[in-house]
Amino acid sequence: MTDYEKRSVSSTDRDEKLGDNIVSSKAGTNIGAPDVQDDALVNRARFKIDAFVLPLCIILYFLSFLDRSNVGNAKVAGFTTDIKLTNWQYSVGLTTFYVSYIVVDIPSNLVTRKLGPNRHLPTLVFLWGIITICQGAVKNYGGFVTIRFMLGGLSPGLVLYLSSFYRREDMQLRMSLLYCATSLAAAFSGLLAAAIQQMDGIAGRRGWQWIFYLEGGATMILAIIIFFIMPASPLDFFWLNDAEKAAYGNALKLSWYEENAGPINIRQAFRAFKDPQAIFLTVITFTNGCMLAGLGYFSGPVIKSLGYSNTKTQLLTVPPFAVAAFVSISVAILSDKYHQRGYAAASASVCAVIGYAIFLTSTSKHVLYGSIFLQVIGVYATAPAIAAWITNNTWPHYKRGTMLAIGFMTTSTGSILSTWLFNDPPHYHKGTSINLALACAMCVCPIVARTYYDYQNRRKAEIRASGQYEDTEESRRLLGDAHPSFIYAL
């Protein structure tokens, strides 16, 4: 029995029989889609989704990232001093956020489709807004840890939601635009915090409290609006007419889209843990998560250690993230055009390696600040490539949702590590050294993953060339991405 057949074996006799015959049956016809697509209708439908659905997701992700990372801006504005937090206690508070993230990621992803992503995701963000406001009332270490633990669970759900709206080859650009929300949130957070902290003393509140109050309140209002206008799926999108829905639905089916994933399938979910690709993808997400969180939480303190005032520090955090957003989109456009996820991730990672190496060896304030640009560009341009890669190469729905959750769980695990690395100012030698090593690993792993996918594609090509496999909806659902017709993205 081949590896593909072994992957198909289930606990029922019927599934075992089908799995044993997958590669020995006569090849059937392609399922579920006509041979010719109406490109004009497909492009028009995709444009409408880009113009409406994608911005809603970007806004939700922007708000969630703003609310979880504004604690770094609050720290610069005196938050930790006022409630008498030590560096160790601050790191513990940051860590608890990621613990809750790890706990809820898989369950949240599995129930997203059941509850309706258009209801589930805005509700999560609304709750985040409430919790962010509560953070402004924190008086001590215990309150800080409790509030931080209550945040979590949105990111993989948004990626899973978008994967149901786009073909596999269209994903990285949209992931990049989504992830730009994080870099733009980091940039905007600095600008916003520089302005809000000037409210210090108004109504007897400190500047850092106003950061939490105003940003949390804005999150709640926007989440309520999005709750009522967000579509559940492409076929439920009010802006698409019947012809566009039909054409776009057929295009999605050709790209292994599931209109109805059925009830929660635990067997599909467990397949993600047994899949070899989980190993190297999670290594990449771990390394990227550590650096991503480190830059999000500590870029402000690191820049301040170069000798700048509080307000100037807030402003100087903006340019690196703004440039990273532009580069990330450029890399994504090239990756989608040439269908190269692995090379895109590896190439972007090289920038991070150079940036950390310069920061570790230079003593010039201006050079050190310039190296932060390379760090942010490398880390932020890699993240959407990996997210797109996971959605491209895992199927069906519940396996994809679980694999995404695993990826974000390991990202959170890396983020936990990052909260303990930058506690040796002013040079931050420990954190920079470890991130340099992680950036090197992030360069190598995408090449290893690409080699694995290329090998699997060549094996599948041999099976397809033999004509001895079954290409039906039932066989596809049974084998998932191990089916010979499923081509891994490189």
Side-chain angles (χ1 to χ4, degrees):
M1 187 183 290
T2 67
D3 289 342
Y4 300 113
E5 294 172 297
K6 292 176 182 176
R7 294 280 298 279
S8 72
V9 176
S10 69
S11 59
T12 66
D13 292 339
R14 175 186 156 278
D15 285 351
E16 287 176 358
K17 182 178 180 181
L18 179 58
D20 287 338
N21 289 328
I22 284 296
V23 296
S24 61
S25 300
K26 185 65 178 174
T29 58
N30 203 352
I31 61 171
D35 293 332
V36 179
Q37 299 177 40
D38 189 328
D39 290 339
L41 287 173
V42 170
N43 291 337
R44 192 187 311 157
R46 187 179 59 193
F47 170 79
K48 291 181 178 181
I49 292 170
D50 284 341
F52 188 86
V53 178
L54 183 58
L56 295 183
C57 293
I58 291 173
I59 291 170
L60 289 177
Y61 199 33
F62 174 90
L63 293 171
S64 70
F65 192 85
L66 187 68
D67 288 346
R68 80 188 193 202
S69 62
N70 57 12
V71 66
N73 300 108
K75 185 177 189 291
V76 173
F79 169 61
T80 55
T81 302
D82 287 356
I83 68 171
K84 298 180 174 57
L85 287 184
T86 65
N87 286 337
W88 183 85
Q89 290 174 325
Y90 179 71
S91 293
V92 170
L94 297 183
T95 298
T96 55
F97 161 77
Y98 292 108
V99 172
S100 65
Y101 222 81
I102 291 171
V103 170
V104 304
D105 271 351
I106 290 180
S108 179
N109 254 22
L110 290 178
V111 302
T112 292
R113 203 163 200 174
K114 188 73 172 177
L115 297 177
N118 56 325
R119 298 291 177 260
H120 180 55
L121 299 176
T123 299
L124 287 177
V125 175
F126 177 80
L127 295 175
W128 275 40
I130 295 176
I131 295 168
T132 298
I133 291 175
C134 293
Q135 201 167 201
V138 164
K139 304 286 186 190
N140 51 44
Y141 169 61
F144 176 55
V145 170
T146 302
I147 288 296
R148 294 301 295 181
F149 183 79
M150 295 171 69
L151 295 170
L154 176 75
S155 302
L158 273 178
V159 176
L160 183 62
Y161 171 71
L162 279 179
S163 72
S164 69
F165 277 82
Y166 291 103
R167 294 175 297 184
R168 296 166 66 204
E169 61 268 27
D170 295 329
M171 278 299 295
Q172 185 169 338
L173 177 57
R174 279 74 191 179
M175 287 298 99
S176 183
L177 291 169
L178 180 68
Y179 273 76
C180 277
T182 63
S183 53
L184 291 176
F188 185 72
S189 181
L191 287 173
L192 197 58
I196 293 176
Q197 71 181 16
Q198 305 305 317
M199 297 176 64
D200 188 53
I202 295 179
R205 302 295 180 181
R206 297 279 282 129
W208 60 264
Q209 290 180 298
W210 283 113
I211 291 175
F212 290 130
Y213 293 156
L214 295 182
E215 293 181 4
T219 295
M220 293 174 61
I221 293 171
L222 289 171
I224 291 173
I225 296 172
I226 293 174
F227 181 90
F228 290 104
I229 62 176
M230 193 174 191
S233 71
L235 301 183
D236 294 325
F237 185 23
F238 66 88
W239 197 4
L240 300 184
N241 58 41
D242 291 341
E244 289 166 345
K245 288 180 180 179
Y248 199 69
N250 287 335
L252 289 175
K253 287 178 181 178
L254 287 175
S255 190
W256 293 74
Y257 168 74
E258 287 181 286
E259 183 178 338
N260 180 15
I264 295 174
N265 191 319
I266 300 301
R267 184 176 299 146
Q268 285 184 19
F270 273 109
R271 284 184 189 174
F273 291 95
K274 298 185 292 183
D275 196 322
Q277 62 178 311
I279 298 173
F280 35 77
L281 288 176
T282 52
V283 171
I284 302 172
T285 53
F286 173 84
T287 57
N288 186 259
C290 182
M291 292 179 283
L292 199 67
L295 291 169
Y297 286 124
F298 296 104
S299 58
V302 168
I303 292 173
K304 186 177 181 180
S305 72
L306 300 179
Y308 297 106
S309 66
N310 284 356
T311 300
K312 192 166 186 179
T313 294
Q314 303 281 26
L315 295 175
L316 286 175
T317 60
V318 176
F321 292 96
V323 173
F326 172 78
V327 174
S328 179
I329 292 173
S330 301
V331 170
I333 291 173
L334 292 174
S335 176
D336 278 350
K337 180 178 180 179
Y338 296 104
H339 308 291
Q340 294 294 337
R341 305 291 187 236
Y343 288 151
S347 300
S349 301
V350 172
C351 288
V353 171
I354 297 172
Y356 286 115
I358 292 175
F359 194 90
L360 198 60
T361 56
S362 178
T363 56
S364 168
K365 179 168 76 171
H366 301 296
V367 172
L368 290 172
Y369 177 65
S371 71
I372 294 174
F373 279 77
L374 294 174
Q375 296 170 27
V376 177
I377 288 171
V379 173
Y380 276 77
T382 300
I386 302 308
W389 221 3
I390 294 174
T391 62
N392 284 170
N393 289 344
T394 50
W395 193 87
H397 173 81
Y398 291 109
K399 180 183 178 182
R400 177 186 295 155
T402 305
M403 188 71 82
L404 280 169
I406 292 171
F408 278 90
M409 287 167 61
T410 51
T411 297
S412 298
T413 305
S415 300
I416 290 175
L417 174 61
S418 75
T419 61
W420 298 94
L421 297 183
F422 291 88
N423 53 12
D424 56 340
H427 301 298
Y428 297 99
H429 181 84
K430 179 178 70 175
T432 305
S433 299
I434 292 176
N435 277 354
L436 175 59
L438 293 175
C440 291
M442 197 168 68
C443 285
V444 174
C445 284
I447 303 302
V448 175
R450 190 185 186 282
T451 302
Y452 169 81
Y453 289 134
D454 185 51
Y455 169 72
Q456 292 296 333
N457 283 345
R458 283 187 278 110
R459 292 189 61 196
K460 291 184 178 187
E462 292 174 0
I463 295 176
R464 292 195 305 273
S466 71
Q468 299 301 305
Y469 72 101
E470 184 177 334
D471 195 6
T472 64
E473 185 171 351
E474 190 174 21
S475 66
R476 286 188 174 200
R477 188 174 296 277
L478 183 62
L479 289 177
D481 54 67
H483 193 280
S485 292
F486 189 98
I487 310 300
Y488 289 118
L490 300 178

